Amino acid sequence: MKILAINTGSSSIKYQLFDMADETVLATGMAERLDSDAGTLSHTAMAADGTRDTIEIREKHLDHARGLVRIAALLTDETRGVIRDTSDIAAVGHRVVHGGEAFQYPRIIDQSVINDIEKNTPLAPLHNRANLTGIRVADSVFPTATQVAVFDTAFHQTLPRQAYMYALPHDLYDTHRIRRYGFHGTSHACVAGKAADFLNIPLEQLNLITLHLGNGASATAIRNGRSVDTSMGLTPLEGLVMGTRSGDMDPAVPFFLSRHLNLSLDEIDAIFNRQSGLKGLCGENDMRTVLTKAAAGDDHARLALDVYTYRVKKYIGAYTAVLGRVDALVFTGGIGENASDVRERCCRGLAGLGIVIDPVRNKDQKTLPRRISPRNTSVKVLVVTTDEELEIARQTRKKILE
Ligand code: ADP
């Protein structure tokens, strides 16, 4: 069975085509800068012998619809194609960012699902609108495939009330559903499953703290395989320090910026979402650059690293308290998988909680998943690769076989 996983952003489409018989990737790619005059499409077909055939296309006025038509043409191309016809694709799995309270599980897309995604659009205007565009366009380009929506928020729909409610007037929840939702759900679910496989313990018996540290970053407390708390909130702004997002701060900061600096809500939104986090603290949002500058003695870069890792450490402590017993702490995402220095700083001084990192295992970049804690510590510290597209494809297959 062939499944296409699609992640549609406001100006991009990322995709992977899987053969679910053995979960191999047949093709992967990304269309970027859509709706600009510099649209690009990079497409790689994978041959059975492991060789890759990459093609780069530049096209003015490439939009989502034209981009997906191009992708379909490349997938079915006579010489470099990996399938004969678009009808070979059984299903298209779409990442949908905000499912609100309506979706605890993936759903086969019909008009009522589209209506519910639209209802949640005010909670994530840019993301959900883009996801709906992807669904509409895929429906016309792959008319025989079943369309399935996989929600970033769904994994966190198991949060108990005390974890998802803000201490605001109840009416704001009753009328407007203002609460913590959490995001990166497919990633947290994916690495929780991989950690269970690695430890050879059923997920339903495991308590985990999963740390997705990429450009966006979030922490999740998982009890018996289910999410019970997570650091992102109504939107992905809350929680950990991120590449350009502030994460937690005093909710009164916007009042100050509005009253004393006369900034508009849009300007404040842009500061918190696009000019804060690592970028705000030291001018760089890419962790590799931050680490290089910090090593060279740049004081702002050092501060950014300190604030970033201190925040992660606080969440590890908080979620240890939430869970009582932690079986494993799981690092993932571009930073979590690659930055041994960041992992070491996040866990420094946590021996009292049973969290210790073996410096040699931590530096070993070769094998993933792997354990980086010494033998016989109560909390196993793991590094696991996240694969959101594969998780979307797996959930899509499960849904259409139900
Ligand atoms: P996204 O959230 O966009 O999927 P990624 O998960 O790819 O992002 O994470 C991107 C982050 O990972 C960037 O801050 C990048 O600097 C960081 N990163 C990638 N490789 C390394 C590395 N070898 N060392 C440190 N940081 C890394």
Side-chain angles (χ1 to χ4, degrees):
M1 178 193 291
K2 314 273 192 312
I3 291 184
L4 182 65
I6 291 192
N7 182 352
T8 312
S10 52
S11 64
S12 67
I13 304 172
K14 287 188 208 161
Y15 60 95
Q16 280 192 26
L17 179 65
F18 293 93
D19 184 342
M20 296 309 286
D22 52 4
E23 296 189 339
T24 48
V25 178
L26 299 175
T28 179
M30 171 141 89
E32 284 181 284
R33 296 187 204 89
L34 300 175
D35 292 319
S36 76
D37 56 5
T40 58
L41 170 58
S42 168
H43 174 89
T44 301
M46 318 280 203
D49 63 3
T51 52
R52 292 159 164 251
D53 170 30
T54 299
I55 175 168
E56 309 269 348
I57 295 173
R58 284 177 188 283
E59 186 174 319
K60 268 191 182 181
H61 313 303
L62 198 65
D63 58 12
H64 288 86
R66 270 194 230 137
L68 209 55
V69 168
R70 284 268 187 196
I71 292 164
L74 288 166
L75 291 172
T76 55
D77 186 79
E78 251 181 52
T79 48
R80 56 170 29 117
V82 290
I83 49 174
R84 266 180 308 116
D85 190 84
T86 53
S87 62
D88 290 348
I89 297 176
V92 180
H94 295 268
R95 173 185 185 220
V96 178
V97 168
H98 216 309
E101 291 186 328
F103 302 109
Q104 192 169 347
Y105 303 104
R107 290 281 291 276
I108 291 176
I109 297 170
D110 58 16
Q111 193 53 47
S112 83
V113 170
I114 289 175
N115 293 346
D116 278 337
I117 295 173
E118 268 166 2
K119 264 191 224 149
N120 287 315
T121 296
L123 294 171
L126 292 179
H127 285 112
N128 272 25
R129 243 175 246 135
N131 302 153
L132 283 166
T133 302
I135 289 169
R136 187 171 39 74
V137 170
D139 196 35
S140 68
V141 178
F142 305 102
T144 57
T146 308
Q147 310 281 332
V148 174
V150 178
F151 300 91
D152 241 21
T153 44
F155 182 59
H156 303 300
Q157 277 298 299
T158 48
L159 256 60
R161 270 201 315 184
Q162 77 258 22
Y164 73 66
M165 284 299 283
Y166 293 122
L168 291 168
H170 208 290
D171 181 53
L172 290 176
Y173 172 70
D174 293 338
T175 314
H176 303 287
R177 288 292 178 260
I178 292 181
R179 50 160 283 182
R180 172 173 296 112
Y181 290 95
F183 298 85
H184 287 147
T186 39
S187 175
H188 289 287
C190 170
V191 298
K194 285 189 179 186
D197 291 345
F198 180 77
L199 297 170
N200 205 15
I201 300 173
L203 183 57
E204 302 70 38
Q205 293 171 19
L206 277 179
N207 286 3
L208 305 169
I209 297 173
T210 49
L211 298 169
H212 176 107
L213 309 180
N215 280 319
S218 63
T220 296
I222 297 174
R223 177 180 291 125
N224 298 330
R226 292 156 73 94
S227 173
V228 291
D229 205 349
T230 194
S231 59
M232 285 178 164
L234 175 76
T235 76
L237 184 58
E238 195 180 343
L240 302 179
V241 176
M242 310 180 211
T244 62
R245 292 184 210 134
S246 63
D248 295 337
M249 67 184 139
D250 186 336
V253 175
F255 313 149
F256 183 91
L257 296 179
S258 166
R259 288 180 187 135
H260 297 281
L261 304 183
N262 276 329
L263 296 185
S264 69
L265 280 179
D266 284 344
E267 286 169 323
I268 296 171
D269 188 329
I271 291 175
F272 293 173
N273 276 297
R274 297 207 291 274
Q275 297 157 32
S276 297
L278 295 172
K279 190 178 178 65
L281 285 166
C282 74
E284 302 289 348
N285 64 294
D286 191 294
M287 183 55 90
R288 282 167 291 206
T289 318
V290 176
L291 285 165
T292 307
K293 283 188 151 187
D298 182 303
D299 191 49
H300 285 185
R302 283 185 172 170
L303 174 68
L305 206 52
D306 285 344
V307 176
Y308 185 96
T309 52
Y310 178 71
R311 183 80 53 86
V312 174
K313 185 187 287 197
K314 285 213 294 191
Y315 270 89
I316 295 172
Y319 288 172
T320 301
V322 166
L323 294 170
R325 184 200 86 228
V326 180
D327 299 306
L329 174 68
V330 184
F331 283 94
T332 195
I335 297 169
E337 290 164 33
N338 297 298
S340 54
D341 198 18
V342 172
R343 291 193 298 260
E344 193 276 325
R345 284 163 183 265
C346 293
C347 297
R348 198 181 286 171
L350 296 184
L353 300 180
I355 296 170
V356 180
I357 284 187
D358 176 321
V360 178
R361 284 172 195 255
N362 186 36
K363 289 275 178 212
D364 167 22
Q365 297 290 354
K366 287 190 281 291
T367 47
L368 289 182
R370 72 171 190 279
R371 181 168 58 86
I372 57 169
S373 48
R375 262 178 225 289
N376 302 326
T377 47
S378 61
V379 180
K380 300 195 170 47
V381 184
L382 308 180
V383 184
V384 175
T385 322
T386 189
D387 192 341
E388 290 174 90
E389 280 78 17
L390 177 60
E391 182 67 21
I392 289 170
R394 283 180 176 168
Q395 293 194 23
T396 299
R397 174 184 54 186
K398 192 164 165 232
K399 186 71 211 167
I400 63 173
L401 293 179
E402 266 174 11

